[in-house]
Amino acid sequence: MAVTEAERGAMTRALALAANGPRGINPQVGAVILSPAGEVLAEGWHRGAGTPHAEVDALSKLAPGQAAGATAVVTLEPCNHTGRTGPCAQALIDAGVSRVVYAVDDPGDASSGGGDRLRAAGVEVVAGEQADASRHLIADWLTVQRLNRPHVTVKWAQSLDGRAAASDGSSQWITGPEARADVHRRRAEADAIVVGTGTVLADDPALTARDGQALYARQPIPVVIGSRPTPPGAAVHRHPHAPLFYDTRDLTAVLADLRDRGVQRVFIEGGPTIASAFVAAGCADTVLAYIAPVLLGGDRLALTDIGVSSIGDAVRLQVDEWLPVGVDLLAIARPATDPAAGKEGS
């Protein structure tokens, strides 16, 4: 079923509204209610755990009966379960909405099925409108729901010829100040920042997120993976959060424990060894490659062995954005075949 121009515009608006909500254990969701003539009647978004969902937030702004025959445009399939709030699918049915257009299917075992519930009540349902944009907005939440582990961003900085350091091991600074500031801003958006013990011993990083000389209000939890001990005087011990240490090479176990601790967004900040391990394990949901216009040569590659023995085994990426950052270039990419991506259709 085709969407109307009014519904398409409403979805664009709903996505903008969704971005107002906090990133956390619940997805960012926006909703717009349209009259039968395509005029906006109400808007809403989800403001965090325990607050009304986007559809209910929008409906709450209407008088009783005002939503009869209306269309609800929502960035995520209306939920179908009772948690801290009731099922949004039923709220739309009770309000008399006759059509629902949504972007992405809800992957939750308990919360999914809202579309089917609406159809069973005689509501016309269209799925998949601007699904890619919605998936991008809630990518970390979708990863947690579908793969039962945190969303992993693997970051590295490299020279134009793919090196992470010069032959003597020096790497500060390959990229310019604008790129480094961009990294710190993205660190502040993560729940945890991960390095290997090699990086701790070689660079003694603080693993904080800094805005210039000041710390961002939101700091990721520092995580160190590896068997070598971290010195008692290491900078990571002065982090605002107590660091977590994992003496294991089992990345699945590490991610499972972080998930149990409520971590949803993991930022891999270590060197080539730890970055390569996450890529090889298929646990790189987003890749941030900062590319500096310098040439280093040598064998200090940004990635080492990731299990690719022939070109047919190459890890294929889809670049979502090429972003100039000062004199450097940032490639923001994700796996071409995304195990956390659902299949929405109309």
Side-chain angles (χ1 to χ4, degrees):
M1 291 176 284
V3 300
T4 66
E5 285 301 316
E7 290 167 347
R8 186 165 290 112
M11 183 63 78
T12 299
R13 174 60 179 164
L15 287 165
L17 292 168
N20 291 328
R23 295 175 66 179
I25 60 172
N26 295 104
Q28 294 169 292
V29 182
V32 175
I33 309 296
L34 297 177
S35 73
E39 299 170 341
V40 175
L41 295 175
E43 300 177 338
W45 68 88
H46 185 47
R47 291 169 170 79
T51 66
H53 289 187
E55 304 93 316
V56 174
D57 183 45
L59 290 172
S60 70
K61 298 167 185 175
L62 299 177
Q66 193 177 356
T71 295
V73 179
V74 195
T75 59
L76 181 66
E77 178 184 15
C79 69
N80 192 37
H81 79 302
T82 299
R84 296 185 184 182
T85 59
C88 293
Q90 190 60 51
L92 293 169
I93 294 167
D94 292 343
V97 167
S98 63
R99 180 174 162 93
V100 172
V101 177
Y102 70 83
V104 178
D105 291 332
D106 188 324
D109 292 334
S111 55
S112 63
D116 290 339
R117 185 171 186 167
L118 288 160
R119 292 184 185 97
V123 177
E124 190 176 36
V125 178
V126 181
E129 171 60 24
Q130 298 188 44
D132 284 346
S134 182
R135 277 196 293 264
H136 179 73
L137 178 67
I138 58 173
D140 49 1
W141 182 82
L142 288 172
T143 301
V144 174
Q145 301 305 308
R146 290 173 172 149
L147 302 181
N148 198 32
R149 64 162 174 77
H151 184 93
V152 176
T153 295
V154 178
K155 166 264 172 183
W156 66 79
Q158 66 173 66
S159 62
L160 194 60
D161 54 345
R163 271 60 182 176
S167 295
D168 64 357
S170 59
S171 61
Q172 295 181 336
W173 298 100
I174 289 178
T175 55
E178 294 88 352
R180 298 197 294 274
D182 188 72
V183 168
H184 279 273
R185 180 182 63 80
R186 295 176 188 274
R187 284 186 183 185
E189 295 175 349
D191 300 317
I193 181 170
V194 177
V195 296
T197 52
T199 295
V200 171
L201 295 174
D203 299 336
D204 193 25
L207 300 184
T208 51
R210 299 184 300 278
D211 184 5
Q213 296 300 314
L215 294 180
Y216 278 101
R218 191 178 192 280
Q219 292 290 317
I221 299 168
V223 175
V224 180
I225 300 176
S227 58
R228 288 178 288 179
T230 297
V236 69
H237 288 296
R238 298 189 292 275
H239 194 283
H241 296 297
L244 300 175
F245 297 95
Y246 294 92
D247 182 3
T248 180
R249 294 187 178 184
D250 187 345
L251 301 184
T252 299
V254 172
L255 291 175
D257 185 69
L258 291 174
R259 171 71 178 94
D260 290 343
R261 294 172 181 270
V263 170
Q264 290 205 121
R265 297 176 296 277
V266 172
F267 195 88
I268 310 304
E269 180 67 282
T273 300
I274 197 76
S276 300
F278 275 91
V279 172
C283 295
D285 304 303
T286 299
V287 168
L288 301 177
Y290 291 85
I291 305 167
V294 298
L295 300 174
L296 295 175
D299 58 359
R300 301 272 186 165
L301 297 174
L303 288 184
T304 57
D305 182 13
I306 57 172
V308 174
S309 57
S310 68
I311 194 64
D313 300 326
V315 178
R316 302 288 178 179
L317 302 177
Q318 175 177 319
V319 177
D320 290 326
E321 190 173 5
W322 291 101
L323 184 65
V325 186
V327 299
D328 305 307
L329 185 65
L330 170 60
I332 304 175
R334 55 189 165 90
T337 302
D338 185 356
K343 295 181 179 179
E344 287 75 29
S346 58

